């Protein structure tokens, strides 16, 4: 009995999701949807949630494909920048998708002499949404400039310095491969410390802060749903 109920619920969920996907296809390319789909607030929020989910799913797929690329095509040291750029591009896009839907809903929900209410609410929404769009745009541009910049983490240490630390990387505990000396004077393999800085801001040994916020550089995807 429980199995039958579960199968029934899954079937309903798949059918509802399939219908929603067909409904949101125009939304994803900023084509005005059928007004019948925005008759009430529940339908509006449902379409926005499904749209957001589809974009996040596509973002994850792109990150997976990026991860599968061999190191000869995309070096490990540059993958963090690409993960950051892809995620912030996704977040910027997701922040733009609901705008059209909310404006259509607010303008179409009020008729006659109440139309002024819809205009007022639409203006208030645009003002409130403006700051969110600006923040997303600035974050995206910052990630784009980081992607273009080939900033070195440190300098190449001398042979005497390498001998002084034993020629062993403190992270992988193996012989140095392309060693790099950070500003705090500690030495690591370039690939090892690059992966470390994709998750942390500080030196693995002395905990001195050396890089900016590493959020999204490890391939993570945001959990929040962009409803407004």
């Amino acid at each position: 009995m429980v199995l039958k109920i579960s199968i029934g619920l899954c079937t309903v969920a798949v059918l509802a999701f399939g219908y929603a996907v067909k409904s949101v296809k125009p939304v994803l390319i900023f084509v005005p949807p059928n007004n019948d789909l925005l008759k009430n607030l529940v339908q509006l929020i449902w379409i926005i949630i499904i749209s957001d989910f589809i974009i996040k799913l596509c973002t994850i797929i792109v990150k997976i494909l990026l991860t599968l690329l061999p190191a000869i095509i995309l070096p490990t040291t540059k993958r963090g920048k690409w993960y950051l750029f892809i995620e912030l591009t996704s977040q910027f896009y997701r922040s733009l998708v609901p705008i059209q839907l909310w404006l259509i809903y607010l303008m179409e929900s009020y008729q006659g002499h109440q139309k002024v209410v819809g205009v007022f609410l639409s203006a208030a929404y645009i003002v409130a949404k403006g700051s969110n769009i600006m923040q997303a745009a600035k974050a995206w541009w910052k990630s784009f400039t980081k992607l273009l910049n080939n900033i070195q983490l440190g300098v190449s240490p001398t042979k005497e310095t390498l001998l002084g630390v034993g020629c062993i990387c403190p992270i992988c505990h193996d012989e140095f491969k392309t060693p790099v000396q950070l500003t705090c004077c500690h030495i690591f393999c370039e690939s090892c410390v690059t992966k470390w800085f994709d998750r942390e801001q500080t030196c693995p040994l002395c905990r001195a802060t050396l890089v900016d916020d590493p959020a999204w550089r490890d391939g993570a995807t945001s959990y929040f749903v962009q409803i407004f």
Side-chain angles (χ1 to χ4, degrees):
M1 184 65 178
V2 175
L3 179 59
K4 290 182 178 179
I5 294 174
S6 300
I7 294 174
L9 290 175
C10 291
T11 302
V12 172
V14 170
L15 290 174
F17 181 74
Y19 172 76
V21 170
K22 291 175 65 177
S23 303
V24 302
K25 281 183 180 179
V27 174
L28 298 177
I29 56 175
F30 302 103
V31 174
N34 189 337
N35 288 347
D36 293 337
L37 299 175
L38 304 176
K39 288 182 177 179
N40 57 61
L41 186 61
V42 174
Q43 287 181 315
L44 170 67
I45 294 178
W46 173 247
I47 291 175
I48 292 175
I49 290 175
I50 293 299
S51 302
D52 191 76
F53 175 79
I54 292 173
I55 297 171
K56 283 202 288 187
L57 185 61
C58 292
T59 303
I60 293 172
I61 292 173
V62 172
K63 290 179 181 178
I64 292 173
L65 294 176
L66 186 71
T67 304
L68 295 176
L69 290 176
I72 192 172
I73 297 177
L74 184 64
T76 306
T77 55
K78 296 183 179 180
R79 297 196 179 195
K81 294 180 181 180
W82 276 100
Y83 288 137
L84 174 65
F85 176 71
I86 292 170
E87 176 60 25
L88 292 184
T89 300
S90 173
Q91 291 186 19
F92 184 39
Y93 181 43
R94 287 164 53 204
S95 68
L96 296 175
V97 168
I99 297 177
Q100 177 180 236
L101 298 176
W102 276 105
L103 291 178
I104 293 175
Y105 173 76
L106 292 173
M107 294 300 295
E108 297 296 330
S109 297
Y110 300 92
Q111 302 296 330
H113 65 278
Q114 293 183 340
K115 196 73 173 180
V116 66
V117 178
V119 174
F120 175 78
L121 291 177
S122 298
Y125 171 76
I126 292 174
V127 172
K129 186 68 176 179
S131 60
N132 175 261
I133 294 296
M134 288 301 297
Q135 290 177 0
K138 288 179 180 179
W140 177 86
W141 180 253
K142 187 176 181 180
S143 70
F144 179 66
T145 55
K146 286 181 179 179
L147 187 65
L148 297 179
N149 292 334
N150 188 21
I151 300 175
Q152 300 296 326
L153 293 172
V155 297
S156 298
T158 62
K159 292 183 178 180
E160 292 76 12
T161 305
L162 290 176
L163 291 174
V165 297
C167 296
I168 300 297
C169 173
I171 296 179
C172 65
H173 301 289
D174 201 350
E175 292 186 4
F176 285 118
K177 297 176 181 178
T178 317
V180 59
Q181 184 174 2
L182 305 180
T183 54
C184 61
C185 296
H186 291 121
I187 303 173
F188 308 92
C189 297
E190 185 180 25
S191 59
C192 293
V193 77
T194 299
K195 291 179 181 178
W196 173 270
F197 285 139
D198 284 341
R199 296 168 175 79
E200 303 289 341
Q201 291 181 274
T202 58
C203 169
L205 293 180
C206 66
R207 296 298 177 182
T209 301
L210 301 177
V211 297
D212 57 0
D213 185 7
W216 316 121
R217 293 172 66 104
D218 61 350
T221 302
S222 61
Y223 290 108
F224 80 95
V225 179
Q226 182 71 56
I227 295 179
F228 296 98

